[in-house]
Amino acid sequence: MAGRLEGKVAFITGAARGQGKSHCIRLAQEGAKIIATDLCADIATVNYDQGSDADFADTVAQVQAVGGEILAMKADVRERSQLKAAVDAGLAKFGKIDIVCAHAGILPIKTRDTQSFVDAMDVDFGGVLNTVGVTLEHLTAGASIILTGSTAGLIEGSVNNPVLGPGGSGYGLAKAFIVKYTEVLALQVAEQMIRVNAIHPTNCNTNLLHNEDLYKLFRPDIANPTREDVLPAFNHFQAMPIPYIEPVDISNAVLWLASDEARYVTGVNLRVDAGSFIKSPTGI
Ligand SMILES: NC(=O)c1ccc[n+]([C@@H]2O[C@H](COP(=O)([O-])OP(=O)(O)OC[C@H]3O[C@@H](n4cnc5c(N)ncnc54)[C@H](O)[C@@H]3O)[C@@H](O)[C@H]2O)c1
């Protein structure tokens, strides 16, 4: 049986680990060829590991294990020239790009250093601009651009909450910008039959969530909170009684938006958040 993305080529950033890895595998399962990119290096203001070379190799192996084709290229989304090199290599290998998934992101809440604001904005919004910037000219009718936002971009208080620090504010602002950017960009390319949508996840089961600094944010009353300590607080964040969603829950939304099943869906900011927004539009 033909997959839901048979014959399509997807360009995905942040593909070494977490949700990006899951997107590569899920889209490949449905027949897409994958151009995967990742930084594969740490960022000084971020207090948890970014994807590694081994993680990226595992993405390649898992895509191949489901019968998919993949080109993996290291590229920092802050550097448009690196992304362009990946696009050029992907076009040389697969001939076109139909799906763009601007997904790479960081949450630098380690320090009070204002560099963390710069880094969050550069990766979380600048990276989106750069990804669109290098791919748009190659897209044709039927193409789908999918941006990764966050419930942080929708709820109030994520840009001016002192607890989040400069990096948290940068993260919230970058994600808030994605909301409007999605709608305005969608309008620019609608006539060409190109679609633009954003997905806004709630807490998702990846390293971005499971790290010391995030745990301390949710449990400031405990010196060294463990996963068990934060689960009740994580649960409280969603309306549905779960602590977090899984990467594949976002991948399934990416799959739908990437497919022709969503051919008239554009300019949409789609929450996949187990009801966190409707529960608490004013934040945690
Ligand atoms: N995990 C959550 O709770 C959550 C919630 C809402 C939104 N998000 C968003 O999901 C996206 C990815 O998060 P994740 O949960 O998969 O986290 P993750 O940390 O597991 O994965 C992020 C990936 O992006 C890569 N990356 C980081 N900086 C990069 C750069 N400059 N250039 C290229 N690649 C880079 C990392 O190496 C890593 O492989 C981000 O945009 C994030 O804001 C996550």
Side-chain angles (χ1 to χ4, degrees), residues 15 21 24 36 55-66 68 70-72:
K21 180 195 289 286
C24 291
D55 292 325
F56 209 18
D58 177 68
T59 298
V60 171
Q62 291 210 52
V63 166
Q64 290 171 341
V66 298
I70 180 168
L71 173 70

Side-chain angles (χ1 to χ4, degrees), residues 17 19 38-39 50-51 75-77 103 149 171 175 201-202 204 206:
R17 218 191 42 206
Q19 299 173 59
D38 202 285
L39 174 66
Q50 298 305 303
D76 185 337
V77 294
H103 172 76
Y171 184 85
K175 299 302 188 182
T202 186
C204 186
T206 70

Side-chain angles (χ1 to χ4, degrees), residues 57-224:
D58 177 68
T59 298
V60 171
Q62 291 210 52
V63 166
Q64 290 171 341
V66 298
E69 281 186 67
I70 180 168
L71 173 70
M73 296 276 295
K74 281 194 203 177
D76 185 337
V77 294
R78 293 170 294 185
E79 302 293 338
R80 201 173 276 213
S81 59
Q82 294 182 19
L83 284 173
K84 186 179 178 324
V87 166
D88 290 346
L91 288 171
K93 186 170 173 67
F94 296 129
K96 61 174 186 157
I97 296 172
D98 306 287
I99 300 157
V100 175
C101 197
H103 172 76
I106 55 169
L107 178 52
I109 51 173
K110 171 184 173 185
T111 66
R112 302 281 117 181
D113 184 348
T114 47
Q115 182 61 37
S116 59
F117 178 85
V118 173
D119 290 344
M121 287 298 292
D122 282 356
V123 175
D124 297 333
F125 191 61
V128 169
L129 297 181
N130 287 336
T131 305
V132 172
V134 296
T135 52
L136 192 57
E137 64 179 304
H138 303 291
L139 304 183
T140 57
S144 175
I145 299 173
I146 300 146
L147 313 177
T148 301
S150 167
T151 46
L154 300 166
I155 58 179
E156 288 172 30
S158 54
V159 294
N160 57 4
N161 182 346
V163 172
L164 298 171
S169 292
Y171 184 85
L173 183 60
K175 299 302 188 182
F177 281 174
I178 286 175
V179 175
K180 198 69 189 166
Y181 179 75
T182 298
E183 295 173 356
V184 177
L185 178 62
L187 202 52
Q188 310 315 307
V189 297
E191 205 154 316
Q192 298 162 250
M193 297 297 279
I194 296 170
R195 299 178 295 110
V196 186
N197 297 287
I199 297 174
H200 299 277
T202 186
N203 295 339
C204 186
N205 191 12
T206 70
N207 278 24
L208 186 143
L209 182 72
H210 292 296
N211 64 77
E212 192 187 344
D213 293 332
L214 217 288
Y215 283 9
K216 283 182 177 166
L217 190 67
F218 275 80
R219 289 303 303 264
D221 53 316
I222 299 177
N224 295 303

